[in-house]
Amino acid sequence: MLKMEDDIMISSEEKAKIKEEIVDKVNSCLEKNGESFRMDKVTVLNKNESVKFMGTYRVYDRRKYDSVSREITSFLNKYEDVEIKSKKIRDSGMKFTSVSFNFEL
């Protein structure tokens, strides 16, 4: 897995690669399902003994939420111990499901 031995932090290059991979996979899934939202970044929090990755995406068509969520969750699970939360939002007449995720390596 992606955990480093002997408390060596993940390199900047590895962090960038993970961030790019997540953005590409999430946006590819959203595009394939006809969603207009695109995730632009994954946030990285450097902690003493780990690195935390956090991101959020939106699904506007609630009928497609289950299939989109399954595909993205399946991909994210390769990072182990992924925490995923979703919330239905109604904002200025727009309805969507906001999904946030985070995991530590």
Side-chain angles (χ1 to χ4, degrees):
M1 191 47 37
L2 295 170
K3 296 195 181 201
M4 301 292 161
E5 298 293 321
D6 301 323
D7 294 329
I8 297 171
M9 292 298 284
I10 298 172
S11 70
S12 295
E13 293 81 14
E14 188 66 19
K15 290 179 212 172
K17 181 180 169 194
I18 292 168
K19 288 168 44 176
E20 182 180 346
E21 181 180 41
I22 293 169
V23 169
D24 289 348
K25 181 63 176 179
V26 169
N27 287 340
S28 171
C29 180
L30 292 170
E31 186 175 345
K32 179 172 70 175
N33 284 280
E35 288 292 323
S36 60
F37 180 83
R38 296 296 177 265
M39 188 167 88
D40 58 350
K41 68 176 183 161
V42 172
T43 302
V44 174
L45 177 62
N46 295 308
K47 300 172 83 176
N48 281 345
E49 296 182 14
S50 65
V51 178
K52 187 171 192 172
F53 293 82
M54 302 168 282
T56 303
Y57 65 91
R58 296 178 180 181
V59 178
Y60 286 93
D61 187 340
R62 292 198 172 149
R63 295 169 297 183
K64 294 181 181 176
Y65 171 76
D66 286 338
S67 63
V68 169
S69 179
R70 258 192 316 272
E71 183 176 338
I72 293 173
T73 298
S74 175
F75 163 74
L76 290 173
N77 279 335
K78 83 179 209 171
Y79 295 107
E80 300 180 1
D81 298 329
V82 178
E83 182 179 339
I84 300 173
K85 295 180 182 175
S86 64
K87 185 178 194 177
K88 291 182 179 178
I89 306 287
R90 180 183 296 236
D91 182 32
S92 301
M94 298 283 295
K95 293 181 188 177
F96 60 90
T97 303
S98 176
V99 183
S100 61
F101 61 87
N102 70 74
F103 59 88
E104 290 185 37
L105 298 178

